[in-house]
């Protein structure tokens, strides 16, 4: 009998930046659908708290400290996960940072740090999980873009370069690794209430209300809004879906004005 469409029992997921925000929302969804989850991040305290959350909902959890821009560490993390659980089926390359400035203000190292985390990081993660997915007979790769993958937002130069780039990288992975039964898709979140947007919400007068007014759903997104899409893209339900970039934005991208 084939596996039910949304069932992740027996599957193992690696969620980078799974220790908070959208990553934790997706890790919780994957865990609830039956997957074992390995979450990574740089902050040990946040990792511990997130692991406790996930364990409280009955999940089999592993934590890994590591920076996604460190290619050697990323490969070691993938090996550690496969060593602990015996396989690695799902990658959620979610870890990301932002640095808001006008284009003329960025120093070279600031530009580079955003690209290192948001674009190099997911690419290294995909390279690291590939042999494990190939061995398992297939896999699911989920990357995270943004509204900045689509729109030209004045204070988001390196962020937009990384989030536009990751959509293209995802399409490349989807076509290159289709022969290995690996599907790769990108999620484009709208405006979500997390640590990443907290400073902007505080510093930019009127931002909170403008987002609510511009979003047909009439609210900011919540990390919980990403559980369902993560399960869909990680499960057999999406076996014929690959190379897409799916907005999860309360309709932000379809609002005309
Ligand atoms: P958070 O800041 O809440 O979470 C980001 C996570 O990434 C943290 O858990 C952080 O953990 C981890 N992280 C950051 N840098 C690194 C690194 N170099 N190596 C390893 N882990 C790292 O932000 P969000 O949950 O909002 O963001 C998650 C993703 O969603 C990002 O890719 C972001 O760009 C994207 N996104 C978010 C939107 C929003 O409105 N919030 C909108 C569009 C896209 P630690 O600090 O422990 O390293």
């Amino acid at each position: 009998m084939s596996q039910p469409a949304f069932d992740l029992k027996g599957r193992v997921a690696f969620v980078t930046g799974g220790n908070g925000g959208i990553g934790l929302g997706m890790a919780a969804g994957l865990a609830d659908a039956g997957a074992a989850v390995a979450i990574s991040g740089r902050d040990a305290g946040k990792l511990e708290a997130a692991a406790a959350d996930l364990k409280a909902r009955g999940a089999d959890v592993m934590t890994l400290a590591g920076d996604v821009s460190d290619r050697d560490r990323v490969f070691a993390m993938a090996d550690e996960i496969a060593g602990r659980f015996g396989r690695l089926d799902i990658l959620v390359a979610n870890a990301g940072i932002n640095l808001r400035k006008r284009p003329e203000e960025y120093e070279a190292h600031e530009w580079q740090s955003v690209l290192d985390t948001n674009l190099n990081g997911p690419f290294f993660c995909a390279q690291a999980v590939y042999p494990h997915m190939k061995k398992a007979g297939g896999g699911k790769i989920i990357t995270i873009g943004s509204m900045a993958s689509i729109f030209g937002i004045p204070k988001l130069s390196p962020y937009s370069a990384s989030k536009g780039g990751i959509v293209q990288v995802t399409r490349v992975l989807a076509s290159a690794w289709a022969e290995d039964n690996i599907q790769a898709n990108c999620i484009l979140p709208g405006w979500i209430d997390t640590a990443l947007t907290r400073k902007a919400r505080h510093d930019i007068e009127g931002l909170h209300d403008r987002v609510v007014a511009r979003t047909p759903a009439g609210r900011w997104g919540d990390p919980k809004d990403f559980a369902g899409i993560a399960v869909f893209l990680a499960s057999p339900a999406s076996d014929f879906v690959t190379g897409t970039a799916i907005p999860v934005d309360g309709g932000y991208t379809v609002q005309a004005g």
Side-chain angles (χ1 to χ4, degrees):
M1 212 170 69
S2 64
Q3 194 176 2
F6 294 98
D7 187 5
L8 295 179
K9 270 191 221 70
R11 303 290 163 98
V12 177
F14 176 20
V15 184
T16 71
N19 59 349
I22 294 172
L24 182 53
M26 292 191 284
L30 299 175
D32 289 352
V37 285
I39 55 171
S40 78
R42 297 161 303 173
D43 182 313
K46 274 165 59 184
L47 271 173
E48 214 173 290
D53 264 20
L54 293 168
K55 280 180 190 155
R57 55 206 304 147
D60 194 356
V61 186
M62 174 182 190
T63 58
L64 301 123
D67 189 318
V68 291
S69 65
D70 177 346
R71 190 172 184 272
D72 290 343
R73 179 66 192 128
V74 165
F75 274 72
M77 288 195 285
D79 289 345
E80 282 172 44
I81 297 164
R84 155 87 186 268
F85 294 114
R87 57 191 295 148
L88 209 180
D89 311 274
I90 300 156
L91 167 68
V92 184
N94 159 80
I97 57 170
N98 191 8
L99 188 55
R100 300 176 61 88
K101 289 185 171 195
R102 290 190 53 81
E104 63 273 23
E105 293 171 346
Y106 285 98
E107 301 289 343
H109 70 93
E110 293 172 330
W111 166 272
Q112 195 57 51
S113 69
V114 178
L115 269 291
D116 283 345
T117 301
N118 294 7
L119 188 57
N120 297 8
F123 186 64
F124 296 156
C125 289
Q127 289 186 310
V129 299
Y130 176 65
H132 300 288
M133 291 184 176
K134 211 175 155 161
K135 192 172 151 207
K140 300 282 188 177
I141 295 176
I142 301 170
T143 57
I144 312 297
S146 161
M147 294 298 99
S149 305
I150 301 171
F151 299 112
I153 304 169
K155 287 197 172 175
L156 295 183
S157 310
Y159 188 80
S160 300
S162 70
K163 294 302 187 178
I166 195 62
V167 171
Q168 278 307 106
V169 168
T170 306
R171 290 178 178 142
V172 169
L173 302 178
S175 50
W177 294 344
E179 64 193 27
D180 301 302
N181 189 30
I182 295 169
Q183 289 82 48
N185 291 284
C186 188
I187 297 171
L188 311 180
W191 290 86
I192 316 304
D193 182 7
T194 68
L196 191 77
T197 50
R198 208 155 290 149
K199 188 171 179 329
R201 277 203 314 283
H202 178 264
D203 294 352
I204 305 170
E205 205 185 327
L207 176 67
H208 176 85
D209 293 343
R210 277 203 304 282
V211 168
V212 171
R214 170 78 169 72
T215 304
R219 65 173 175 88
W220 283 63
D222 182 277
K224 290 190 183 75
D225 290 317
F226 292 82
I229 186 82
V231 172
F232 171 61
L233 292 177
S235 72
S238 61
D239 278 354
F240 201 54
V241 179
T242 198
T244 66
I246 304 177
V248 178
D249 64 350
Y252 188 88
T253 38
V254 298
Q255 175 91 299

